[in-house]
C-alpha cells in the first residue's frame, strides 16, 4: 500500500486518513489475488480435463486400431472380406479386402462391382443377379454361394451374405461378407469322388460286404450282401 501511495500521491487527496487508504488498497489487492487464484484454479482444472479427455481419446483410438488389425488378420486367415452398400448414395465402400481377394484392381466401387459381376460363372449369373437385385430392392437378408471364372480360366467359389443395417452416421446400408470357399469346395468334391469310387468298388464285387457301428447297427451294406440275406438295402440300414 505504501508503494501505491508513493507512486500515486493524488490518492491522498481524500477525506480519509492514510491508514484507511492503505486498508482499502490492501483489500483490493487481496481481492485481486483471490480472483487470480480462482482463475488459476479454473485454468488448471480445464487443462487437467482436456489432458484427461485427450488421453482417453488416444487410448480409444489405440483400441480401435488394435481391434481393426485383429479383424483384418482374422479375415485374412478365414479368406473373408466385408463390404457395405450405401442405399441412398448408391455406392460401395469398405470392400477393398474383397477386391484384393478376388484379384480385382482397386478403383471406383461401381466399376469394380461391374467387373465382379462379369466374373460370375455364366451358369450362376442369373441367380446371382436376381439374389442381389431382390436384396437391394427389398432390403432383405441374403445368403448365396456361387462361382467365379477368373481371367486365366480358374474357378473360384464364393459364399456371400448380407443384410440391412445402420452405419456410424445412422444411415441405412446393406452390409455383409464375402468368403473364398474354393479350397473347401475342392475338398468336398474330392471326398464325394472318393466316396463314389469306394461305392463302385464295393458294389462291383460278388462278395457280401457290410459295416456296423459300436451299437451293432448296420451303416452300410452292398447289394451282394443284401441279396444273400434276402432283404432290401433300405430295410437293413440302421437295423441290428
Amino acid at each position: 500500500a505504501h508503494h501505491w501511495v508513493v507512486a500515486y500521491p493524488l490518492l491522498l487527496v481524500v477525506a480519509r486518513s492514510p491508514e484507511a487508504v492503505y486498508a482499502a488498497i490492501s483489500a483490493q489487492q487481496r481481492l485481486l489475488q483471490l480472483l487470480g487464484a480462482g482463475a488459476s484454479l479454473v485454468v488448471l482444472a480445464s487443462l487437467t480435463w482436456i489432458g484427461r479427455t485427450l488421453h482417453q481419446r488416444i487410448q480409444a483410438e489405440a483400441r480401435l486400431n488394435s481391434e481393426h488389425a485383429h479383424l483384418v488378420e482374422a479375415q485374412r486367415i478365414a479368406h473373408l472380406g466385408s463390404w457395405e452398400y450405401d442405399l441412398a448414395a448408391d455406392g460401395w465402400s469398405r470392400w477393398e479386402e474383397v477386391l484384393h481377394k478376388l484379384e480385382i484392381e482397386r478403383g471406383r466401387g461401381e466399376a469394380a462391382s461391374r467387373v465382379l459381376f462379369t466374373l460370375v460363372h455364366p451358369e450362376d449369373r442369373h441367380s446371382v443377379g436376381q439374389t442381389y437385385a431382390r436384396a437391394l430392392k427389398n432390403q432383405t437378408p441374403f445368403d448365396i454361394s456361387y462361382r467365379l471364372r477368373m481371367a486365366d480360366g480358374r474357378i473360384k467359389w464364393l459364399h456371400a451374405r448380407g443384410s440391412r443395417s445402420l452405419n456410424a452416421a445412422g444411415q441405412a446400408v446393406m452390409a455383409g461378407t464375402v468368403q473364398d470357399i474354393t479350397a473347401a469346395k475342392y475338398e468336398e468334391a474330392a471326398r464325394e469322388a472318393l466316396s463314389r469310387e469306394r461305392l463302385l468298388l464295393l458294389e462291383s464285387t460278388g462278395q457280401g460286404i457290410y459295416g456296423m457301428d459300436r451299437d451293432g447297427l448296420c451303416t452300410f451294406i452292398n447289394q451282394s450282401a443284401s441279396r444273400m440275406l434276402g432283404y432290401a438295402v433300405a430295410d437293413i440300414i440302421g437295423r441290428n
Side-chain angles (χ1 to χ4, degrees):
H2 173 73
H3 292 298
W4 278 52
V5 173
V6 173
Y8 306 99
L10 292 179
L11 290 175
L12 294 177
V13 188
V14 294
R16 290 192 294 177
S17 63
E19 291 77 8
V21 174
Y22 296 153
I25 295 174
S26 298
Q28 292 178 356
Q29 287 183 328
R30 285 194 297 272
L31 178 59
L32 292 174
Q33 290 174 352
L34 290 174
L35 291 175
S40 298
L41 289 175
V42 172
V43 172
L44 180 60
S46 300
L47 291 176
T48 303
W49 178 81
I50 292 173
R52 185 181 296 110
T53 303
L54 181 60
H55 180 67
Q56 293 174 349
R57 180 175 180 180
I58 293 174
Q59 286 184 325
E61 290 179 351
R63 285 195 298 269
L64 288 175
N65 291 335
S66 177
E67 292 173 358
H68 178 70
H70 290 159
L71 176 61
V72 171
E73 180 63 14
Q75 290 183 343
R76 184 190 67 80
I77 295 174
H79 303 285
L80 186 71
S82 59
W83 55 268
E84 183 177 291
Y85 178 75
D86 191 330
L87 297 172
D90 190 24
W92 299 83
S93 62
R94 287 178 44 204
W95 72 331
E96 289 78 7
E97 187 63 23
V98 174
L99 299 181
H100 174 70
K101 292 181 182 302
L102 301 182
E103 305 170 25
I104 298 176
E105 184 179 355
R106 301 184 183 188
R108 293 180 55 192
E110 294 79 2
S113 64
R114 287 195 295 269
V115 172
L116 173 59
F117 188 73
T118 59
L119 291 177
V120 176
H121 196 283
E123 296 177 2
D124 300 339
R125 193 168 296 166
H126 179 69
S127 61
V128 171
Q130 282 191 329
T131 299
Y132 277 100
R134 183 168 56 251
L136 294 176
K137 179 180 179 180
N138 303 327
Q139 300 183 25
T140 54
F142 68 90
D143 191 319
I144 185 174
S145 296
Y146 55 92
R147 294 165 293 175
L148 296 183
R149 177 180 286 173
M150 310 308 292
D152 57 3
R154 289 177 297 122
I155 299 297
K156 274 193 173 187
W157 276 91
L158 299 183
H159 179 212
R161 61 176 61 184
S163 61
R164 182 183 183 276
S165 63
L166 298 178
N167 60 14
Q171 299 170 334
V173 297
M174 291 291 292
T177 59
V178 174
Q179 185 176 17
D180 185 348
I181 57 172
T182 305
K185 281 291 185 179
Y186 281 136
E187 290 175 1
E188 180 183 350
R191 287 194 300 267
E192 291 178 353
L194 181 59
S195 178
R196 287 193 298 269
E197 182 179 352
R198 288 176 177 175
L199 181 62
L200 288 174
L201 289 174
L202 292 173
E203 293 293 353
S204 63
T205 180
Q207 298 179 343
I209 302 174
Y210 65 91
M212 295 186 301
D213 60 16
R214 293 182 179 180
D215 297 325
L217 302 179
C218 182
T219 58
F220 168 80
I221 186 169
N222 65 354
Q223 294 291 339
S224 297
S226 66
R227 284 194 298 268
M228 292 177 187
L229 296 175
Y231 291 95
V233 173
D235 295 332
I236 301 175
I237 297 297
R239 302 291 296 277
N240 191 314

